[in-house]
Amino acid sequence: ETGVTQSPTHLIKTRGQQVTLRCSSQSGHNTVSWYQQALGQGPQFIFQYYREEENGRGNFPPRFSGLQFPNYSSELNVNALELDDSALYLCASRGGTSGSITDTQYFGPGTRLTVL
Amino acid sequence: AQSVTQPDIHITVSEGASLELRCNYSYGATPYLFWYVQSPGQGLQLLLKYFSGDTLVQGIKGFEAEFKRSQSSFNLRKPSVHWSDAAEYFCAVGPRSLNNDMRFGAGTRLTVKP
């Protein structure tokens, strides 16, 4: 186990709804990243938060947004859900003084989102 | 553009046999390189990473990978596969910057025959 937890484990929503996914990072880790993993594909980088500020973003529309809290836990929010948003959403955290990519990244087990 | 290619979608090997999973990348500079493993219902676990130095990298669970700049490859190897190695394996590249725009390949699913 990595110490990174995610909730809920599974979620079913309908098109147009909004969803919030949660991540509790490993103790002491100040950087959290979110990834979307569609079925049969590798994870795709959504965005990264370092000390409560977004400091990197992949090719995802603005309806994907996030937050990082003072305790470094994080939320991923997705508005106006589309069928293609169905995927496994992974959270990853790492420590270090600068959130550098050289710090080992630890992944949570993911939240499986199904959009009907 | 950055990209990672894992040419083999699915590989089957017999327990005790050797394993090589291929990874090719396209990147403008020398990237950071990673191999992750994902078991069903679990998140990704880092097997090994290459940043610089010795091009042969040792990882956990008896895995190793070799960075070959001339071939833009970072293949993962294991001399003797165990049944517990059955999983999905992902190669990833990352930039030498802080924004963690890691790019993953599509993965190779490993099946181990008894």
Side-chain angles (χ1 to χ4, degrees):
Chain A
E1 285 194 14
T2 65
V4 180
T5 59
Q6 293 186 242
S7 63
T9 306
H10 296 88
L11 201 53
I12 299 175
K13 292 285 188 178
T14 56
R15 273 187 306 173
Q17 284 189 310
Q18 178 266 343
V19 68
T20 297
L21 311 181
R22 294 180 174 81
C23 171
S24 178
S25 58
Q26 189 161 315
S27 178
H29 284 188
N30 53 25
T31 303
V32 64
S33 302
W34 285 90
Y35 293 82
Q36 180 195 66
Q37 185 177 16
L39 201 61
Q41 297 182 25
Q44 279 194 287
F45 174 67
I46 302 175
F47 47 57
Q48 173 179 285
Y49 278 82
Y50 171 64
R51 293 188 175 179
E52 302 178 57
E53 300 224 353
E54 183 182 300
N55 73 340
R57 189 176 184 92
N59 189 27
F60 280 81
R63 60 189 184 85
F64 285 79
S65 63
L67 280 174
Q68 187 182 30
F69 300 100
N71 65 355
Y72 301 137
S73 65
S74 176
E75 286 182 355
L76 165 65
N77 299 289
V78 187
N79 294 321
L81 283 168
E82 301 177 359
L83 296 179
D84 285 349
D85 295 333
S86 295
L88 180 69
Y89 288 85
L90 296 165
C91 165
S93 75
R94 60 174 183 262
T97 57
S98 60
S100 169
I101 197 171
T102 58
D103 301 317
T104 296
Q105 187 164 236
Y106 296 90
F107 282 82
T111 293
R112 174 73 62 186
L113 173 65
T114 301
V115 182
L116 303 176
Chain B
Q2 306 167 31
S3 66
V4 181
T5 302
Q6 293 181 248
D8 305 304
I9 297 172
H10 183 206
I11 283 183
T12 299
V13 301
S14 298
E15 190 168 16
S18 64
L19 171 70
E20 183 169 28
L21 302 182
R22 296 183 291 164
C23 172
N24 295 98
Y25 66 89
S26 173
Y27 200 77
T30 302
Y32 292 148
L33 296 159
F34 308 81
W35 273 100
Y36 285 87
V37 61
Q38 185 177 36
S39 298
Q42 298 187 24
L44 280 73
Q45 181 184 24
L46 180 67
L47 288 175
L48 47 80
K49 56 188 176 183
Y50 172 77
F51 295 152
S52 63
D54 192 346
T55 56
L56 186 61
V57 181
Q58 301 298 320
I60 63 171
K61 304 184 179 185
F63 286 93
E64 66 177 27
E66 186 171 13
F67 170 55
K68 293 185 177 180
R69 185 191 306 273
S70 61
Q71 298 177 19
S72 297
S73 69
F74 188 57
N75 294 347
L76 182 71
R77 301 193 293 249
K78 186 169 185 177
S80 178
V81 170
H82 188 262
W83 64 266
S84 61
D85 293 325
E88 189 90 20
Y89 290 81
F90 293 94
C91 179
V93 301
R96 294 175 179 260
S97 65
L98 297 179
N99 70 359
N100 190 35
D101 186 13
M102 290 183 72
R103 299 294 178 97
F104 284 82
T108 297
R109 184 161 62 93
L110 174 65
T111 298
V112 180
K113 292 190 303 186

